[in-house]
Amino acid sequence: MAAEKAFIREVGPRDGLQMVGRILPTDKKLEWCCREAATGVGEIEVTSFVNPKAVPQFADAADVARGAIDIGGFVVAALVPNLRGAEAAFDAGVRHINCVISISDSHNRANINRTTNESIAEFRRIIDAATARGRSDYHVACGLATSFGCTIEGAVSEKRVLDVAEQILTAGADEIILADTVGYGSPRQVGRLCTDALALAGDKGVACHFHDTRGLGLANVTAAIEAGVRAFDSSVAGLGGCPFAPGASGNINTEDCAYLLESMGFDTGIDIERLVKLRRDVESWLPGENFTGSIARAGLPKSFGRPLAAV
Ligand code: ZN
């Protein structure tokens, strides 16, 4: 029987690089995408269509997007903070956009100077923009930041998360991404919220975006998997910090996440050893950055890849 698939979306070139001071040249970003796609990663969030004055790292967003589309062989996704970013992404040929809204009003205001409800209204305008260009050609996902807690407000009500998720799905989202960029989530909480979000989403996608800020990143992946989630964001070498905790570890690590999923019997399609080779080069391109990950240090176990029944 073929193994059930689990899906990893690489977010390093976006989420990882947005915290990095050194600007990685466009050709290196494209080399990263090209080589990671060759390891079997099926989707990469290649850039962010933000105001380049706010984040100079992404001043080359349109060039990276076009270059990545030319490489081919993987889904090119981009983060967009607003309608303007969505239009710029569409103009560059991007068909898969990830919007982001914070469940916590205070966090949303601090990030983009809007209330959560104002961002929901903006999301509807983004859906309208995709519809004007031919809705079925586009995949519009929405990340729900602070779904598991907020650095400003503390606890976030699960009811409010589901309420916003429902509004986003009703607006026409193809996928919601429960996001914990501040690393507040814990496994039972993740299991509960994922179960409820999957029930709400029906045939629409539910993905999770965890950070390992407090060491629970992969435990949360396990809880989400047990609840039925099959799609995860992660970053090669765990690149990407927490803007509210300087020096803290960032996104869950792609190599380790792929290892976890494969060891649980899922097929990720990813060649982990090849991914570790790419990781070494990404490290060399970004000296002084904070890299994490256990597989890169210890290697895969000798038992890896043998069916359980044969062990
Ligand atoms: Zn993140």
Side-chain angles (χ1 to χ4, degrees):
M1 200 179 74
E4 190 184 349
K5 294 207 182 303
F7 177 82
I8 287 183
R9 169 169 42 220
E10 171 66 39
V11 297
R14 195 280 302 170
D15 202 349
L17 286 181
Q18 77 183 4
M19 293 287 295
V20 170
R22 170 192 307 262
I23 297 192
L24 192 65
T26 309
D27 62 332
K28 283 281 181 268
K29 293 176 181 174
L30 290 172
E31 182 184 341
W32 180 349
C33 294
C34 182
R35 286 178 53 196
E36 185 155 359
T39 71
V41 170
E43 179 175 342
I44 304 177
E45 196 173 79
V46 300
T47 190
S48 176
F49 283 84
V50 284
N51 181 347
K53 288 201 186 84
V55 193
Q57 181 69 261
F58 300 128
D60 62 355
D63 290 337
V64 169
R66 288 198 188 96
I69 292 164
D70 283 347
I71 291 166
F74 66 101
V75 173
V76 174
L79 189 88
V80 303
N82 49 31
L83 177 61
R84 187 187 206 160
E87 295 281 14
F90 295 156
D91 286 343
V94 176
R95 298 293 183 92
H96 190 140
I97 58 164
N98 299 329
C99 309
V100 63
I101 294 176
S102 291
I103 302 295
S104 143
D105 251 331
S106 321
H107 194 267
N108 209 59
R109 277 181 201 277
N111 253 356
I112 53 169
N113 202 23
R114 279 195 176 128
T115 65
T116 302
N117 285 339
E118 284 165 355
S119 282
I120 295 170
E122 181 82 347
F123 182 76
R124 291 197 187 97
R125 290 190 280 273
I126 291 171
I127 292 282
D128 290 344
T131 304
R133 292 176 188 248
R135 183 68 185 85
S136 60
D137 291 338
Y138 293 89
H139 181 98
V140 183
C142 187
L144 304 176
T146 66
S147 280
F148 302 95
C150 168
T151 44
I152 306 167
E153 294 186 11
V156 167
S157 134
E158 291 176 16
K159 191 171 164 295
R160 176 63 178 156
V161 178
L162 295 168
D163 173 47
V164 174
E166 189 168 22
Q167 292 186 62
I168 290 301
L169 289 162
T170 304
D174 298 299
E175 179 186 6
I176 53 170
I177 306 160
L178 299 173
D180 184 24
T181 51
V182 296
Y184 274 28
S186 60
R188 285 194 174 160
Q189 174 196 22
V190 165
R192 260 192 328 265
L193 199 52
C194 287
T195 301
D196 290 346
L198 284 162
L200 192 67
D203 61 352
K204 304 295 182 191
V206 176
C208 286
H209 179 112
F210 295 123
H211 281 224
D212 197 37
T213 323
R214 290 174 180 81
L216 297 187
L218 290 184
N220 289 337
V221 171
T222 307
I225 276 280
E226 300 287 359
V229 171
R230 295 290 180 266
F232 299 92
D233 290 356
S234 64
S235 175
V236 159
L239 188 63
C242 173
F244 304 99
S249 50
N251 288 283
I252 57 167
N253 170 301
T254 302
E255 311 93 88
D256 291 1
C257 185
Y259 170 62
L260 170 65
L261 296 173
E262 294 278 341
S263 73
M264 290 176 81
F266 292 95
D267 173 15
T268 63
I270 295 171
D271 179 335
I272 296 173
E273 276 164 345
R274 219 167 151 185
L275 195 58
V276 170
K277 289 199 185 88
L278 167 63
R279 172 216 161 96
R280 306 268 183 240
D281 287 332
V282 171
E283 280 184 88
S284 74
W285 298 339
L286 300 167
E289 294 302 327
N290 191 22
F291 300 103
T292 64
S294 298
I295 289 300
R297 281 197 304 270
L300 289 169
K302 283 185 177 164
S303 58
F304 183 72
R306 291 174 64 194
L308 272 183
V311 174

